[in-house]
Amino acid sequence: ALSEFKHKVVDDTLKAEMVAKYGKEGPQNIPLYAFGNKLSFYRLPAYPDLPEERPEADCVFFGCPFDASSTYRMGARFGPAAVRRASQMTSFNYAPWIERDFSKMKIYDAGK
């Protein structure tokens, strides 16, 4: 519940936003991702971190935010996040240019 989560928050600005939006008590049930949802590639489900929780997958996307491979051009580390933000505006079920339906495949986003 938000009231329990609110007591764990140390950022005063976030606390003030929560109170302004939901009141002092807040709603009874609110998902914690409402405050800082992690973007995923094409809104795909997240791939679990623990190996024993990982389902069988046809494809798993992961980013590699790494700047050390480019000399004097910092910013490559922001590439995976930029691709995830851009993918929120499109869909990923059917690709007409290759006549392929991806809706039946088990595809996940491993994050990073």
Side-chain angles (χ1 to χ4, degrees), residues 70-82:
S70 54
T71 307
Y72 303 114
R73 291 187 168 252
M74 303 305 280
R77 67 182 175 268
F78 303 119

Side-chain angles (χ1 to χ4, degrees), residues 38-52:
K38 211 169 123 179
L39 287 178
S40 73
F41 186 62
Y42 283 108
R43 297 182 206 90
L44 295 170
Y47 200 58
D49 291 333
L50 299 174
E52 59 271 5

Side-chain angles (χ1 to χ4, degrees), residues 2 14-24 26-27 30 34-35:
L2 178 64
L14 182 58
K15 273 188 182 180
E17 288 176 8
M18 291 165 55
V19 170
K21 189 169 186 177
Y22 299 105
K24 285 198 174 221
I30 183 170
F35 299 100

Side-chain angles (χ1 to χ4, degrees), residues 42 90-105 107:
Y42 283 108
T90 59
S91 66
F92 188 67
N93 292 330
Y94 179 71
W97 54 90
I98 58 173
E99 295 181 6
R100 183 92 191 250
D101 183 17
F102 295 105
S103 62
K104 305 284 189 248
M105 294 178 71
I107 305 173

Side-chain angles (χ1 to χ4, degrees), residues 38 40-41 44-49 54 59-63 84 108-112:
K38 211 169 123 179
S40 73
F41 186 62
L44 295 170
Y47 200 58
D49 291 333
R54 293 180 183 158
C59 181
V60 178
F61 289 101
F62 65 96
R84 285 186 175 93
Y108 298 92
D109 185 354
K112 301 285 182 261

